[in-house]
Amino acid sequence: MSASQTSDVPTLLVKIFGKDRPGITAGLFDTLAAYSVDVVDIEQVVTRGRMVLCALVTPPPAGLEGDLRATVHSWAESMKMQAEIISGLGDNRPRGLGRSLVTVLGHPLTAESTAAIAARITKAGGNIDRIFRLAKYPVTAVEFAVSGVETEPLRTALVTHAATFGVDIAVVAAGLHRRAQRLVVMDVDSTLIQDEVIELFAAHAGCEDEVAEVTAAAMRGELDFEQSLHARVALLEGLDASVVDKVRSEVRLTPGARTLIRTLKRLGYQVGVVSGGFTQVTDDLKDRLGLDFAQANTLEIVDGKLTGKVTGEIVDRAGKARLLRRFAAEAGVPLAQTVAIGDGANDLDMLNAAGLGVAFNAKPLVREAAHTAVNVPFLDTVLYLLGVTREEVEAADTHDED
């Protein structure tokens, strides 16, 4: 039957609440089964050991509703639970057009920010259908299922105010594609790793301050990346190639980087990196972390010395977006199913080309232009934006230990 045909059909809402324990759900439906009712809807929530179980069912045969009510109340009392049974008509009202998932990361998540988010959803024309906690550490991550408003205007309404709310917010369209195979592509410097690789090389060349100044200007979008790249690499001329191994050993992964990649791989995702840094480091990271793709600039080495030049295709702002598309084609993943993560201005084209662009502890210019921003120092919090729960992360870790 259609929704209009079922809207006036009598139904009973059976609510059970109290201390959670094994067997409550089975016991309730075993009790209801004696009255030959059909299940229309079920929802169960457990918070701090307290359960709320709701079952929407059809009425029993004529003359048995009073007996059903008495039996359910008696069973609930025997289980030291409370019961409430409400008569009504039909199923839940149809959800509005436009369904989105709003992920909120708080460190902490305050009641004030939650109220502000809920109010903003309402103001945008949305209705909150369900709220689910994804994680309680290292941040509190909560997912809102919202209907009644299209994804893009909802994203605009929420993400632009995320900093005001004191949280990070991501808004994506709901649907089966949420758990489809995806490709995740990350920037390297100050994203996958805590360092700027060229500055590690510069420290060995004694020109760290000069390189750092040019790097900062390039990341702010004040300098053309390719020009700044050549200017910085030129300062490395004459360095012994043995410095490559030293730099590799100095690279520090961002907290949560291994967990992010391990969990994504366990879930069947493909993972890659693109970098304005150097293949001498990214190739090593690809091997160490089991990445599917890696592309960067290449330092020219002649007779065991760095020449101060780079060879091959330059990986700049446009190049990163181009490589995202290339990796997606090779992985057989639609561009809409890609996720890009980066922190600098030269990541913007890639972030905007991806289905979901995540600015990770990024410069203000990048935070404002990306789909969403993460401003906590844990890279694995990106998993929550994909709907992955902390329990799934821990399960992936346990599986790898077996």
Side-chain angles (χ1 to χ4, degrees), residues 10-14 37 55-60 65 68-69 85-88:
T11 50
L12 296 177
L13 176 60
V14 181
V37 300
L56 190 65
V57 300
T58 57
E65 183 175 326
L68 179 150
R69 288 174 176 270
I85 303 175
I86 304 171
S87 299

Side-chain angles (χ1 to χ4, degrees), residues 30-238:
D30 188 50
T31 301
L32 293 172
Y35 295 90
S36 301
V37 300
D38 295 330
V39 177
V40 178
D41 196 3
I42 310 172
E43 187 158 347
Q44 179 174 309
V45 177
V46 177
T47 303
R48 210 178 67 181
R50 307 294 291 184
M51 166 196 276
V52 177
L53 171 60
C54 295
L56 190 65
V57 300
T58 57
L64 293 181
E65 183 175 326
D67 189 53
L68 179 150
R69 288 174 176 270
T71 302
V72 169
H73 280 285
S74 177
W75 169 82
E77 185 177 350
S78 72
M79 300 299 292
K80 298 182 179 179
M81 306 285 284
Q82 293 180 313
E84 182 180 5
I85 303 175
I86 304 171
S87 299
L89 295 175
D91 196 349
N92 301 313
R93 64 182 178 83
R95 295 179 182 178
L97 296 176
R99 298 184 186 180
S100 304
L101 297 172
V102 178
T103 306
V104 179
L105 307 181
H107 191 57
L109 178 61
T110 66
E112 182 180 10
S113 61
T114 304
I117 293 164
R120 183 64 60 173
I121 290 172
T122 301
K123 186 175 180 180
N127 182 71
I128 300 171
D129 298 321
R130 183 169 298 180
I131 305 174
F132 176 73
R133 188 180 72 182
L134 296 167
K136 60 183 179 181
Y137 68 94
V139 299
T140 300
V142 179
E143 183 176 88
F144 294 74
V146 177
S147 63
V149 59
E150 296 297 334
T151 299
E152 284 305 320
L154 180 62
R155 177 183 289 156
T156 300
L158 291 174
V159 173
T160 54
H161 292 85
T164 304
F165 300 153
V167 297
D168 298 325
I169 301 177
V171 182
V172 299
L176 292 176
H177 65 274
R178 181 74 184 279
R179 285 305 184 95
Q181 185 188 49
R182 288 191 175 190
L183 168 69
V184 178
V185 176
M186 289 174 276
D187 174 43
V188 175
D189 293 8
S190 298
T191 299
L192 178 63
I193 66 174
Q194 300 177 59
D195 313 282
E196 292 288 333
V197 168
I198 196 164
E199 293 179 10
L200 297 179
F201 277 101
H204 292 282
C207 57
E208 189 174 14
D209 291 342
E210 297 96 313
V211 165
E213 184 177 343
V214 178
T215 298
M219 289 296 100
R220 291 192 299 267
E222 298 170 2
L223 292 177
D224 173 80
F225 177 80
E226 184 170 351
Q227 292 177 335
S228 68
L229 173 67
H230 290 303
R232 289 174 291 174
V233 171
L235 295 170
L236 306 181
E237 182 180 2

